[in-house]
Amino acid sequence: MRHRLALDLAALPLHGKSWSSITWWGTLAFMLIEGTGFALVIAIYLYLANIASEWPIAAPPPDLGPGTLLTVVLLVSLVPNFLVLRWADRSDVTKVRIALLVMIVFGIVPLGLRAFEFPALHTRWDSNAYGSITWILLGLHTTHLITDLIDTIVLAALMFTRHGHYKRRIGDVQDNGLYWYFVVATWLPIYAILYWGPRL
Amino acid sequence: MRLRWTSAVLSPLGCAGCVGWQSAMDPQGPQAEHLHRLIWLFTGVAAVIWLLVMLSLALAIWRRRDRSDEPVVPTNAARERRSAVVVFMAVGATVGVIAGLTLASYLATRQVSEASAEPLKIRVQGYQWWWQVSYLDPAAARQITTANEIHIPVGRPVNIELAAADVIHSFWVPNLAGKMDLIPGRDNRLEFTVARPGQYRGQCAEFCGLQHAHMALLVMAESEADFETWQNAQLAPSAAPDSDERRSGRQIVTGKACGACHTVRGTEAAGTIGPDLTHVASRAYIAAGVLPTTRGSLAAWVADPQTIKPGNNMPMVPLTADELRAVSAYLSALK
Amino acid sequence: MSEARAEAGDRTETLDRDLPPALLEQRLAVTWGTLAGFWGWLTTVDHKLIGRRYLVTAFVFLLLGGVLAMMMRLQLARPENRLLGADFYDQVFTMHGANMMFLFAVPVMEAVGVYLVPLMIGTRNIAFPRLNAFSYWMYLVGGLMLWTAFALDMGPDIGWFAYVPLSGPQFGYGKRSDIWAQMITFTEVAALAVAVEIVVTVFKQRAPGMSLDRIPLFVWAMLVTSFLVIMAMPAIMVASTSLILDRLVGTHFFNPAEGGDVLLWQHLFWFFGHPEVYIIFLPAVGMTSTIVTTFARRAIFGYVPLVLALIATGILAFGLWVHHMFATGLPRLGESFFTASSMAIAVPSGIQIFCWIATLWLGRPVLAVPLLFILAFFATFVLGGLTGVMVASVPLDTQVHDTYFVVAHFHYVLIGGAVFPLLGAIYYWFPKITGRMMSERLGRSAVGLLFVGFNLTFFPMHLLGLAGMPRRVYTYPAEMGWGGGNLFVSASAVILAAGFLVFFIDAIRSARHGAPAGDNPWDAATLEWATPSPPPSYNFAFLPVVTCANPLWDERDALPVATGLRVERRELLVTSAAEARPEARESSPRNSIWPLLSAIATSVMLIWSIFSPWAVVWGSIPIGIALIGWFWPKGTPEDDA
């Protein structure tokens, strides 16, 4: 097959940002998958609540304390997350390192609070269907908190090595920050359903 | 007329027996009749559409064309437009046909689900792998419990409450009505009427485990008079044994483990895990349609249920040859 | 500071236009090549090699599933047969369904997509190549786990759909249901990974100028399919996880006694299950569009309606699931809605059929083997689609649901609608994949045997179902009169099996002894035919630039290409989602052992969790380590730029 030269690509940048980055789209796709999963589990909650004669089943509504506090912490964490993304965009390696350390703290504190949320449900996963669905809903979000924390720790470690100076890391940090937005955003409807659903 | 068409189509494939016995194409009541008509309507429309599509495909492949040396046929704007009109019309026809069939389907649903005022109320509970049948009557003394066989009067609507004891089963007697599942935790209902007296076979139509294939039931449609005779016979307690052998048989049945699972009214046997045996010999089949009821089949079943229906929930109770003879004599007299 | 270092490195690296053609190809082959030997096989991230292994593995599972089918037909050939006992038969039909759906049908379509999509859109590798490698290992382990369990008499026996309570803690025997559920996890992870890769590849790595209206229809089909996978598979992941939890740790999702619901399982399963069949069917639609175009010697008629029909089918596919539950006693009005939606999906299918026939009508059909398979597809799939319209009707379905009528219906649409186009696609793309042609003579025999054998086997099943024969029965009484029909079906299945045998023989022989193919033996229009057969590791020496919908037909003299990419590192082009304007140059990962290591760690955790919930905790540690190893930069130019 003969060729004719029609386009010159040499001047193109070596990295795409956000929607020009492959991993950004990958993160988006992963969010779609996990988001669908969350939506389904919430749908199951509503389904079971709808067919039950009383809801919650054999349990009081969950204590508001730990869950509400966790929600506040997550919302506050959006600020350093936003800053991480902005400083990454400006390729400010030092500030990104600090912000990531802050995000690690904001990853550990919610997990600590989450440990108090489970008993606050006043039911066990094997008590009845209400117990099962509430534990799964909470558990699913917890796995996302854990994986994002590990992700952030590894990324922070990476930023302190020589690899931290390459432009590719900007994309890595941005993908991680994007994913944290997702983890916080998916918590809000879950919080509403778990804590306020039984009180309506 | 339709029956002959159906057998003409079906017989060459060696299922001459399928017209009649457990067939959706041999309706014996108004519900099944509506469904039968719907099946023919849809089949007719489908056949016509399939032939038209195949014809146009054949023409597209084999129609005459001018010879051309060009490697690729160029697109011609006028021909594209004409073809677009044809395709558009075909799509329009598709939408029309689909809409018509949807309407026909909805109308059939309405016809089949018309509830009646005073149906005969029956409760069927599905077990692995048999059917418990109870006749619900406001008077507790007139409630009948039997298994695997349902008697109903011709012409009177029957309303069956469907419950599941263990896993999902499905109640299906194609000559009479469409199927309805028996689902644990859910109460389903099926209502139908039988137009003609006869025996109609049904089978569990939802995979329910090892012996799903051997979970049949029989619907006996009879005149009101015959139905009442049957009811009275079922209400009576179990037949008293009239010979020494049968007396011995009753003693064994009540003495051994049988009474833990089975009920024989009028004796001490009062178990509810297995089928009610008070009038077992009055039923055409045992073991949910596996064996026709005879003294011999009863003996074979009691001797070793696991060989006849492997995996079913009746354990083998060891009996000597004499005990077996006595038991089968007793059971075969429980009419 | 560091940016300057990166830019400086860039200026000293060789660009593709700086080298003479032969040297360019040599250097690109080194940069993009797979290492030699077994280590190379374990570490490759080349989408073509991974696509090929997916294909071979899927066809092995097809063969195994076919053997299971023949066993069933032997058992059912006579009434009250004692060849297979009840327990073994239940495992066999469960394995047949689960194997065909999860280990053959979806993976084989993904395989063709993984191999072809990057070539058809003019890029060098699929997006996330290491994830691609990982997904194959997960698929392989899932399949091996299932078949090993079956060999050990631990195979699932609950039907491919595993309804509760039969599959649940009270009635599900041993670990059989858990094996089934975890096999789901393996295959769904693999499918989701591939779906993500395809979506991102199609959106961001298309050749410059390949705007949305110039994307090949097969690529559109894979794109829509991938969205279906992403939106549907979570449902069965949730379902199978809930089942394992009910069985392993005592949750009550499906236990009505404690507030759970038996029908919840069916809703979750079929919310996935119905889109699943379109996940299998839509790629075949794409294959059909491609083969019709090439062998009608004409641009496809109705490109836009065909794309819209794909999208409409994908969206509608999510609104049909209750039609699998018409006998469960749900409210009549609700069920009627699903009749309407199930009938409505016939409309986009109709649009597709009419456009293809129009293309053939307006073109000059060449009756090569791929087109013969498409003709077989038409006759078979249209019939299956029409029986689909029949079962879409609630009242009609109450008679034929769970009978052999439905068995006939779905085999007509699956074999007719997916397998025939797939076999045609294999004949079509075999030359590209292997560099050799398959045999026209054997191909024609295969089509004939398959078409005749298929119809003789499955058409009578419509009649058997109407005559009262339910599904999933290991035997039936002689007095039912089904014996003759079943014997006929079983005998005909031998013809069908012979057809598959001829196909396999042809494929295996042609791989070594087939006629050499050249770049474009069919004179087809799409970009994959612009490279050698088989393509080099880097796909294209220069990335093509697209100016029209049928590039190789409309730019016959010389294909326009882009230059300026580097040679010493793996580099490809990122373009905009709609217009495919060049946006950036992206690095593509090198060969790596980490996908395999991650797959091993994940497999250990998943299999262990069948037996203990603590596997999720302890088993996650090796997974975490493997994933860190995967993502940690290795100091290669691709990682640090």
Side-chain angles (χ1 to χ4, degrees):
Chain A
M1 183 102 218
R2 281 180 48 226
H3 299 151
R4 60 180 172 87
L5 303 184
L7 196 57
D8 181 11
L9 305 171
L12 284 177
L14 296 181
H15 303 279
K17 281 194 204 160
S18 63
W19 58 84
S20 296
S21 150
I22 295 285
T23 49
W24 186 89
W25 284 84
T27 309
L28 217 60
F30 188 69
M31 282 160 49
L32 190 56
I33 295 171
E34 298 300 304
T36 307
F38 275 119
L40 280 166
V41 180
I42 291 176
I44 295 174
Y45 181 100
L46 294 170
Y47 180 95
L48 292 173
N50 194 42
I51 63 172
S53 47
E54 50 147 16
W55 190 267
I57 304 176
D63 297 340
L64 281 176
T68 311
L69 191 54
L70 180 140
T71 309
V72 169
V73 169
L74 286 181
L75 287 172
V76 169
S77 77
L78 293 177
V79 174
N81 195 49
F82 172 77
L83 289 173
V84 141
L85 291 173
R86 183 141 65 139
W87 289 330
D89 205 34
R90 295 189 192 152
S91 305
D92 193 332
V93 175
T94 322
K95 288 211 177 110
V96 166
R97 285 173 178 167
I98 298 170
L100 281 178
L101 290 175
V102 170
M103 288 311 296
I104 291 175
V105 172
F106 270 104
I108 295 175
V109 169
L111 278 176
L113 289 169
R114 182 55 54 83
F116 288 98
E117 271 188 275
F118 280 101
L121 292 174
H122 296 298
T123 181
R124 277 167 52 107
W125 68 90
D126 57 358
S127 309
N128 49 52
Y130 169 75
S132 304
I133 190 62
T134 49
W135 273 72
I136 290 313
L137 205 43
L138 212 52
L140 199 60
H141 189 260
T142 309
T143 52
H144 285 81
L145 280 177
I146 294 174
T147 52
D148 197 286
L149 175 61
I150 296 172
D151 211 20
T152 311
I153 292 173
V154 172
L155 192 57
L158 194 57
M159 289 308 293
F160 278 94
T161 66
R162 62 181 175 91
H163 299 289
H165 294 285
Y166 290 105
K167 272 203 169 152
R168 193 160 194 78
R169 303 287 94 73
I170 302 172
D172 294 341
V173 173
Q174 287 178 330
D175 294 339
N176 189 52
L178 182 66
Y179 192 64
W180 183 251
Y181 280 139
F182 174 74
V183 172
V184 174
T186 50
W187 171 245
L188 299 174
I190 296 175
Y191 170 74
I193 288 267
L194 272 182
Y195 290 93
W196 296 99
R199 291 181 159 87
L200 283 173
Chain B
M1 173 60 195
R2 241 197 313 270
L3 215 58
R4 271 187 278 137
W5 264 105
T6 320
S7 29
V9 166
L10 297 174
S11 311
L13 287 151
C15 45
C18 46
V19 178
W21 198 231
Q22 199 170 308
S23 170
M25 303 308 280
D26 185 20
Q28 297 294 331
Q31 283 79 16
E33 186 61 57
H34 290 305
L35 299 179
H36 184 238
R37 274 199 286 267
L38 198 68
I39 291 173
W40 274 113
L41 171 68
F42 272 73
T43 305
V45 170
V48 167
I49 294 177
W50 186 84
L51 285 168
L52 284 174
V53 174
M54 291 303 109
L55 196 65
S56 45
L57 179 66
L59 283 172
I61 298 284
W62 282 294
R63 72 188 190 96
R64 290 189 155 283
R65 288 174 172 82
D66 298 327
R67 292 206 161 280
S68 172
D69 290 329
E70 288 172 0
V72 173
V73 175
T75 54
N76 172 314
R79 296 183 78 199
E80 294 280 296
R81 265 198 307 273
R82 275 201 301 272
S83 309
V85 169
V86 173
V87 168
F88 200 74
M89 291 196 324
V91 175
T94 308
V95 173
V97 168
I98 293 292
L101 292 176
T102 307
L103 187 64
S105 169
Y106 183 65
L107 289 174
T109 302
R110 284 237 321 250
Q111 285 169 325
V112 164
S113 346
E114 277 158 11
S116 55
E118 292 270 345
L120 176 65
K121 288 204 162 143
I122 301 177
R123 184 166 198 273
V124 170
Q125 174 134 325
Y127 287 79
Q128 281 176 319
W129 292 275
W130 60 281
W131 308 89
Q132 183 187 66
V133 180
S134 315
Y135 285 74
L136 306 173
D137 194 297
R142 287 195 66 79
Q143 287 179 356
I144 299 167
T145 303
T146 178
N148 304 322
E149 195 171 284
I150 303 176
H151 287 243
I152 50 186
V154 168
R156 179 135 68 112
V158 175
N159 186 298
I160 308 185
E161 197 182 285
L162 299 166
D166 37 38
V167 298
I168 303 180
H169 301 275
S170 193
F171 182 95
W172 186 43
V173 187
N175 294 98
L176 303 180
K179 61 183 62 71
M180 180 62 73
D181 286 352
L182 287 68
I183 299 175
R186 242 193 122 75
D187 281 317
N188 281 339
R189 283 181 181 280
L190 184 65
E191 188 164 310
F192 58 86
T193 310
V194 189
R196 279 170 284 283
Q199 282 188 16
Y200 306 108
R201 191 179 192 270
Q203 201 170 338
C204 175
E206 182 60 63
F207 179 63
C208 52
L210 276 171
Q211 287 298 328
H212 164 65
H214 288 131
M215 191 169 159
L217 68 135
L218 212 57
V219 174
M220 314 283 249
E222 43 206 15
S223 66
E224 280 284 357
D226 288 340
F227 176 66
E228 209 176 305
T229 312
W230 176 83
Q231 269 186 313
N232 292 329
Q234 294 290 312
L235 283 166
S238 61
D242 57 358
S243 72
D244 285 332
E245 199 181 31
R246 290 192 171 132
R247 261 184 289 275
S248 168
R250 180 173 71 172
Q251 234 176 326
I252 297 165
V253 166
T254 50
K256 293 229 181 234
C258 321
C261 300
H262 296 285
T263 296
V264 182
R265 265 182 298 115
T267 72
E268 301 89 66
T272 50
I273 302 173
D276 187 302
L277 297 180
T278 311
H279 299 284
V280 58
S282 73
R283 303 201 277 264
Y285 288 87
I286 57 165
V290 175
L291 294 168
T293 311
T294 64
R295 184 177 170 185
S297 65
L298 282 163
W301 177 259
V302 170
D304 188 2
Q306 292 300 320
T307 303
I308 296 175
K309 198 167 167 179
N312 89 83
N313 290 322
M314 175 161 159
M316 188 178 83
V317 177
L319 296 173
T320 66
D322 287 328
E323 287 174 322
L324 193 58
R325 259 198 298 276
V327 166
S328 62
Y330 175 60
L331 291 176
S332 57
L334 291 177
K335 293 209 191 292
Chain C
M1 168 233 347
S2 45
E3 292 156 56
R5 183 162 53 171
E7 303 304 334
D10 172 49
R11 266 196 288 279
T12 59
E13 288 191 46
T14 335
L15 296 181
D16 48 17
R17 58 166 173 253
D18 298 333
L19 294 175
L23 192 58
L24 172 64
E25 288 174 9
Q26 207 180 60
R27 292 269 182 89
L28 283 174
V30 167
T31 304
W32 287 89
T34 294
L35 303 169
F38 189 55
W39 184 251
W41 192 79
L42 293 178
T43 56
T44 186
V45 294
D46 185 338
H47 73 100
K48 299 180 292 299
L49 294 176
I50 294 171
R52 267 172 38 183
R53 61 174 70 149
Y54 252 111
L55 266 175
V56 169
T57 310
F59 273 100
V60 169
F61 283 126
L62 173 66
L63 205 62
L64 290 173
V67 169
L68 291 175
M70 293 311 287
M71 287 165 75
M72 286 194 281
R73 285 320 317 170
L74 272 172
Q75 165 64 12
L76 292 175
R78 286 177 339 155
E80 299 293 356
N81 209 358
R82 292 187 169 230
L83 208 63
L84 271 55
D87 181 48
F88 188 59
Y89 187 89
D90 292 348
Q91 287 187 62
V92 169
F93 83 70
T94 303
M95 286 292 296
H96 174 78
N99 174 77
M100 289 303 199
M101 295 298 277
F102 295 113
L103 299 179
F104 167 67
V106 170
V108 84
M109 296 303 178
E110 309 254 88
V112 179
V114 161
Y115 189 95
L116 281 177
V117 166
L119 285 165
M120 277 183 147
I121 64 170
T123 187
R124 291 221 164 108
N125 204 353
I126 203 165
F128 313 120
R130 288 172 298 190
L131 187 65
N132 198 211
F134 171 80
S135 76
Y136 173 76
W137 300 120
M138 293 297 285
Y139 161 56
L140 181 66
V141 174
L144 287 175
M145 181 193 72
L146 183 70
W147 279 90
T148 306
F150 177 60
L152 297 173
D153 198 32
M154 281 170 63
D157 56 350
I158 43 184
W160 84 281
F161 51 98
Y163 276 3
V164 298
L166 190 62
S167 60
Q170 205 181 347
F171 298 98
Y173 181 69
K175 287 294 178 187
R176 292 174 169 186
S177 305
D178 310 285
I179 300 271
W180 177 90
Q182 215 58 302
M183 177 274 295
I184 300 285
T185 308
F186 278 103
T187 52
E188 304 314 281
V189 165
L192 281 166
V194 170
V196 169
E197 294 152 26
I198 288 181
V199 167
V200 178
T201 309
V202 173
F203 274 149
K204 297 306 295 177
Q205 286 184 204
R206 302 198 307 277
M210 187 182 277
S211 48
L212 291 177
D213 59 336
R214 292 173 182 163
I215 296 178
L217 281 166
F218 177 72
V219 176
W220 268 114
M222 289 309 303
L223 182 67
V224 175
T225 302
S226 298
F227 273 107
L228 258 70
V229 169
I230 288 173
M231 308 292 288
M233 297 228 167
I236 196 170
M237 286 281 252
V238 169
S240 63
T241 305
S242 305
L243 180 65
I244 293 190
L245 287 173
D246 265 22
R247 288 169 58 83
L248 200 61
V249 299
T251 50
H252 295 284
F253 291 105
F254 309 115
N255 180 7
E258 292 286 359
D261 188 38
V262 165
L263 282 187
L264 176 62
W265 172 265
Q266 296 191 24
H267 281 296
L268 284 173
F269 183 85
W270 291 116
F271 186 76
F272 150 79
H274 194 82
E276 157 91 337
V277 306
Y278 288 98
I279 289 168
I280 296 168
F281 174 60
L282 290 183
V285 166
M287 294 169 187
T288 302
S289 290
T290 312
I291 294 174
V292 165
T293 302
T294 302
F295 293 99
R297 307 306 305 154
R298 210 207 94 106
I300 195 82
F301 176 88
Y303 176 91
V304 173
L306 282 169
V307 173
L308 293 176
L310 277 171
I311 297 173
T313 305
I315 295 174
L316 274 172
F318 282 95
L320 307 189
W321 83 91
V322 175
H323 72 215
H324 299 273
M325 298 166 65
F326 279 160
T328 56
L330 292 173
R332 239 178 299 125
L333 195 60
E335 289 188 341
S336 296
F337 167 80
F338 286 92
T339 291
S341 61
S342 304
M343 300 254 199
I345 205 164
V347 175
S349 290
I351 292 174
Q352 290 164 336
I353 304 268
F354 301 140
C355 285
W356 290 324
I357 295 180
T359 310
L360 290 166
W361 185 287
L362 294 167
R364 215 182 329 118
V366 175
L367 291 177
V369 168
L371 191 63
L372 293 179
F373 271 110
I374 299 303
L375 297 182
F377 150 79
F378 273 114
T380 318
F381 173 72
V382 171
L383 200 155
L386 290 167
T387 56
V389 167
M390 289 174 75
V391 295
S393 153
V394 174
L396 205 156
D397 191 49
T398 58
Q399 281 289 32
V400 300
H401 171 72
D402 240 298
T403 69
Y404 265 79
F405 188 93
V406 176
V407 175
H409 159 69
F410 67 69
H411 281 93
Y412 264 86
V413 287
L414 282 175
I415 297 186
V419 175
F420 284 161
L422 172 73
L423 297 178
I426 299 293
Y427 271 86
Y428 182 64
W429 276 299
F430 191 90
K432 178 56 55 182
I433 300 174
T434 64
R436 296 182 178 279
M437 306 294 289
M438 289 179 79
S439 158
E440 277 290 304
R441 198 176 47 87
L442 281 180
R444 278 197 284 267
S445 307
V447 178
L449 285 169
L450 286 167
F451 184 71
V452 169
F454 173 81
N455 280 288
L456 289 180
T457 305
F458 287 97
F459 192 84
M461 290 188 187
H462 294 110
L463 305 173
L464 281 170
L466 288 170
M469 185 172 177
R471 291 172 73 171
R472 303 166 179 143
V473 290
Y474 77 99
T475 188
Y476 52 91
E479 71 242 27
M480 299 313 296
W482 302 328
N486 272 288
L487 184 59
F488 183 86
V489 165
S490 297
S492 305
V494 176
I495 304 175
L496 183 60
F500 278 109
L501 206 62
V502 171
F503 167 78
F504 278 113
I505 290 173
D506 190 8
I508 294 170
R509 272 186 54 208
S510 303
R512 288 186 194 285
H513 306 295
D519 291 6
N520 193 357
W522 308 115
D523 191 20
T526 41
L527 287 177
E528 75 272 25
W529 302 103
T531 73
S533 305
S537 53
Y538 49 88
N539 290 353
F540 303 92
F542 296 102
L543 294 186
V545 171
V546 169
T547 57
C548 50
N550 295 299
L552 269 60
W553 282 351
D554 296 329
E555 298 272 8
R556 265 183 194 282
D557 300 325
L559 191 68
V561 297
T563 65
L565 292 182
R566 285 175 294 187
V567 175
E568 314 297 346
R569 66 171 74 188
R570 296 194 177 195
E571 192 164 77
L572 41 76
L573 188 61
V574 171
T575 57
S576 65
E579 294 292 317
R581 265 177 289 102
E583 283 181 341
R585 295 141 69 180
E586 177 104 5
S587 295
S588 185
R590 288 185 173 270
N591 304 315
S592 170
I593 194 65
W594 290 102
L596 175 60
L597 296 177
S598 304
I600 292 173
T602 313
S603 303
V604 166
M605 191 272 269
L606 287 178
I607 296 178
W608 185 6
S609 68
I610 293 174
F611 303 96
S612 163
W614 289 109
V616 179
V617 175
W618 302 116
S620 296
I621 297 174
I623 297 176
I625 296 172
L627 288 178
I628 293 172
W630 177 325
F631 287 109
W632 196 265
K634 315 284 185 308
T636 63
E638 289 84 358
D639 285 339
D640 288 331

